[in-house]
Amino acid sequence: IHWDLRAELDKNPNPEIALVRLEQYYPAPIEELTRVLGEYPNAELVWVQDEPENQGAWPFIQQWVQGPVGRPITVVSRPAAAAPSTGSSKVHQAEQADLLRRALKR
């Protein structure tokens, strides 16, 4: 999802949006993340993931990262679902476009 977001920002630059990638989930790199987020003290923190809300990294981020960084984090993802994908490329493309729009409208 990072590269899709980067491509959208390259097409439509927004200096109010910074992309920060979290490459390692466990053990959570709280010290490094806190240091990076310190560069953006008033920023709204948004976790963006391609997977449904109840899958992917969001449950881990919500449980193990949000508290230690000391700031609220919201999520932009596909709706919670039993399956990780829709099974339809057209539905996937529509959901992906909506996901990018919601993530970058801030």
Side-chain angles (χ1 to χ4, degrees):
I1 193 73
H2 172 84
W3 296 112
D4 292 336
L5 292 167
R6 176 82 272 147
E8 287 298 315
L9 285 173
D10 287 346
K11 287 190 274 184
N12 302 298
N14 184 340
E16 294 184 2
I17 296 177
L19 296 180
V20 176
R21 290 173 54 175
L22 187 60
E23 296 279 336
Q24 173 183 316
Y25 299 145
Y26 190 85
I30 300 301
E31 223 173 272
E32 295 91 341
L33 189 55
T34 301
R35 186 173 51 250
V36 170
L37 296 178
E39 297 176 26
Y40 309 98
N42 299 315
E44 174 188 6
L45 304 182
V46 179
W47 180 261
V48 181
Q49 69 177 28
D50 197 17
E51 298 87 3
E53 187 172 341
N54 60 321
Q55 299 175 31
W58 172 243
F60 177 82
I61 297 301
Q62 189 178 33
Q63 182 175 3
W64 297 105
V65 175
Q66 184 169 238
V69 299
R71 293 170 62 183
I73 303 172
T74 58
V75 65
V76 171
S77 66
R78 297 176 193 275
S85 72
T86 65
S88 163
S89 63
K90 287 185 180 184
V91 172
H92 175 80
Q93 289 171 353
E95 286 182 351
Q96 187 76 357
D98 179 61
L99 186 70
L100 294 173
R101 181 191 56 74
R102 288 184 292 127
L104 297 174
K105 74 174 182 165
R106 298 167 167 357

